[in-house]
Amino acid sequence: MKEDMETYKYHDHKDKLLKRLRRMEGQVRGVHRMIEEDRYCVDVLYQLAAIKAATNKIGLELIEDHTRGCVARAVKEKDDDGESQIQELMEVFRTFAK
Amino acid sequence: MKEDMETYKYHDHKDKLLKRLRRMEGQVRGVHRMIEEDRYCVDVLYQLAAIKAATNKIGLELIEDHTRGCVARAVKEKDDDGESQIQELMEVFRTFAK
Amino acid sequence: MKEDMETYKYHDHKDKLLKRLRRMEGQVRGVHRMIEEDRYCVDVLYQLAAIKAATNKIGLELIEDHTRGCVARAVKEKDDDGESQIQELMEVFRTFAK
Amino acid sequence: MKEDMETYKYHDHKDKLLKRLRRMEGQVRGVHRMIEEDRYCVDVLYQLAAIKAATNKIGLELIEDHTRGCVARAVKEKDDDGESQIQELMEVFRTFAK
């Protein structure tokens, strides 16, 4: 449920997030290069695991921002006590926890 | 333990792997753009979950290639019945099962 | 941060939770029996995977109850907007997302 | 593919496995008791996370035993170079890595 508001909690550390995403992009390019160069499978796998860990970390931070921002605001201000935001939070967490 | 051989099992589908890695790179750039545009947190999170799923999928395929290629070859040809490759495989399993 | 209140959100479906936990207990006993009977490793592994899935499912339901109950109440009623409950929730998220 | 042989690799540490499974059974009973006693959700969740971690650990040990035992034996002795055991290994690993 998009909030009709200007910025989200993650705005507070937006630059850091963007920097980490650029590093992640570089990591994916790095794996691409390893495959092109027929590098040893296990070395490639550890790079992929690093990308997975970086994605997890950014995701959990955004979940924390979202909980502290949109969900908490909806709990306080909405008639349904933020019920729909809580459902939405749990669905995205389930997707992420896979 | 790098094998002194020219190609690995993943060589059979190298082009497909490279194509998927380029798509993954695009997905990371897409998340970068969403953050720049202050998009809704939950929408960003689903894109990150997609990157995580893609990374997992490629990783599991490479693990299968590695098992079928390097590990199986070491089991057949090496004096230690491939013991060191099996240990290496298990460490990769543990890293990916996190 | 234990809440000084009588029941938690999971109280609404306590009997169902207790029933599933008894089934889980039976599943663990079942794996114990399989190992005693020297059953094929892969068959044992699928039973362990079922226990892991059952644990995950119960855990995610309790997280949802907790978010809807204790965390939402703290967000509405506490001076710190439920900040300590949100931090606690995120630590549980991180533990479960492993 | 059940092997027509007497024992599996996990036989070497069968007693330890049985002991850990009994402890796991106790942990599940512990969670059952906590729910009966209306204990704080977060405390219950950390116990569930401990059961999940114990299940994972036993599972990965069995995967290692299976790889070193049945899979390696099939790779060495079978006409299909253990192809069906490798597929079976990867399927159980995918189920476990969820």
Side-chain angles (χ1 to χ4, degrees):
Chain A
M1 216 76 45
K2 181 151 165 47
E3 292 295 303
D4 47 18
M5 44 168 294
E6 6 34 90
T7 57
Y8 298 115
K9 205 70 181 162
Y10 67 73
H11 205 268
D12 306 351
H13 53 109
K14 182 170 170 177
D15 292 338
K16 268 196 215 153
L17 276 174
L18 292 173
K19 195 174 160 198
R20 283 162 67 189
L21 285 162
R22 283 193 295 275
R23 196 185 318 138
M24 240 173 87
E25 208 184 309
Q27 285 177 299
V28 177
R29 259 198 306 275
V31 171
H32 188 280
R33 206 166 33 247
M34 290 175 90
I35 298 275
E36 277 179 326
E37 294 165 1
D38 290 310
R39 292 276 297 277
Y40 183 48
C41 333
V42 172
D43 297 338
V44 178
L45 280 161
Y46 279 114
Q47 284 307 312
L48 282 169
I51 292 168
K52 191 177 159 185
T55 311
N56 239 4
K57 204 157 176 267
I58 291 176
L60 285 166
E61 275 179 37
L62 283 176
I63 286 176
E64 184 156 0
D65 290 327
H66 180 58
T67 306
R68 203 168 266 133
C70 309
V71 178
R73 195 176 310 114
V75 165
K76 270 187 279 185
E77 295 168 8
K78 297 222 164 174
D79 304 338
D80 69 352
D81 290 340
E83 175 54 29
S84 39
Q85 268 73 15
I86 289 174
Q87 268 180 24
E88 195 181 45
L89 172 67
M90 289 310 302
E91 268 156 45
V92 80
F93 179 65
R94 278 188 169 84
T95 305
F96 225 84
K98 264 187 212 146
Chain B
M1 216 74 46
K2 182 154 163 53
E3 293 295 302
D4 46 19
M5 43 165 296
E6 10 31 273
T7 57
Y8 297 115
K9 207 70 183 164
Y10 67 73
H11 207 268
D12 307 350
H13 53 106
K14 184 172 171 176
D15 293 338
K16 270 197 215 151
L17 276 174
L18 292 173
K19 195 173 162 200
R20 283 160 68 188
L21 285 162
R22 284 191 295 274
R23 196 185 318 138
M24 243 174 86
E25 212 183 306
Q27 285 176 299
V28 178
R29 261 198 305 276
V31 171
H32 188 279
R33 207 166 32 246
M34 290 175 91
I35 299 273
E36 278 181 326
E37 294 164 0
D38 291 311
R39 291 275 297 277
Y40 184 48
C41 334
V42 172
D43 297 338
V44 178
L45 279 161
Y46 278 112
Q47 285 307 309
L48 281 169
I51 292 168
K52 192 177 161 185
T55 311
N56 240 359
K57 203 154 175 269
I58 292 176
L60 288 168
E61 275 176 38
L62 282 176
I63 287 176
E64 186 153 358
D65 289 327
H66 180 59
T67 305
R68 203 166 268 133
C70 308
V71 179
R73 196 177 310 113
V75 165
K76 269 188 281 185
E77 295 167 7
K78 297 222 165 175
D79 303 340
D80 70 353
D81 288 341
E83 176 54 27
S84 40
Q85 269 72 17
I86 289 175
Q87 272 181 22
E88 197 179 44
L89 175 66
M90 288 313 304
E91 271 154 44
V92 167
F93 266 174
R94 285 190 167 82
T95 303
F96 254 85
K98 260 187 217 147
Chain C
M1 215 75 44
K2 181 146 164 50
E3 291 297 301
D4 47 16
M5 44 164 297
E6 10 28 275
T7 56
Y8 298 115
K9 207 69 185 163
Y10 67 73
H11 206 268
D12 306 351
H13 53 107
K14 184 170 169 176
D15 293 339
K16 269 197 215 149
L17 276 174
L18 292 173
K19 195 174 160 200
R20 282 160 67 188
L21 285 162
R22 284 192 295 275
R23 197 187 316 140
M24 240 174 87
E25 211 184 306
Q27 285 176 302
V28 177
R29 261 199 304 276
V31 171
H32 188 279
R33 207 168 32 247
M34 290 175 89
I35 298 272
E36 277 180 326
E37 294 164 0
D38 290 311
R39 291 276 297 276
Y40 185 47
C41 333
V42 172
D43 297 337
V44 178
L45 279 161
Y46 278 113
Q47 286 306 310
L48 281 169
I51 292 168
K52 193 178 161 185
T55 311
N56 240 1
K57 203 155 176 269
I58 291 176
L60 287 168
E61 277 178 38
L62 282 176
I63 288 176
E64 187 155 357
D65 289 327
H66 180 59
T67 306
R68 205 167 266 134
C70 309
V71 178
R73 197 177 308 113
V75 165
K76 269 188 280 187
E77 296 168 7
K78 295 221 166 175
D79 303 340
D80 68 353
D81 290 340
E83 176 53 29
S84 39
Q85 269 73 17
I86 290 175
Q87 269 179 24
E88 196 180 45
L89 175 66
M90 288 313 304
E91 272 154 45
V92 166
F93 266 174
R94 284 191 167 84
T95 304
F96 252 83
K98 260 185 215 149
Chain D
M1 214 81 41
K2 181 153 162 49
E3 294 295 304
D4 46 19
M5 44 165 295
E6 4 36 84
T7 57
Y8 298 115
K9 206 72 185 161
Y10 67 72
H11 205 267
D12 306 351
H13 53 107
K14 183 171 169 176
D15 292 339
K16 267 196 216 151
L17 276 175
L18 292 173
K19 196 175 160 196
R20 282 160 68 189
L21 285 163
R22 284 192 294 275
R23 197 186 316 139
M24 241 174 86
E25 209 185 308
Q27 285 177 302
V28 177
R29 261 198 304 276
V31 171
H32 188 279
R33 209 167 30 248
M34 289 175 90
I35 298 273
E36 277 180 327
E37 295 166 358
D38 290 310
R39 291 275 297 278
Y40 185 47
C41 332
V42 172
D43 297 338
V44 178
L45 279 161
Y46 279 113
Q47 285 306 311
L48 282 168
I51 292 168
K52 192 178 159 185
T55 312
N56 237 5
K57 204 155 176 266
I58 291 176
L60 286 166
E61 274 179 37
L62 282 176
I63 286 176
E64 186 156 359
D65 290 326
H66 180 59
T67 306
R68 204 166 265 134
C70 308
V71 179
R73 197 177 308 114
V75 166
K76 270 188 276 184
E77 295 167 7
K78 298 222 165 175
D79 302 339
D80 68 354
D81 289 340
E83 176 54 29
S84 39
Q85 268 72 16
I86 289 174
Q87 269 181 22
E88 195 181 44
L89 173 68
M90 288 309 303
E91 269 156 45
V92 80
F93 179 65
R94 278 188 168 85
T95 305
F96 222 84
K98 263 187 213 147

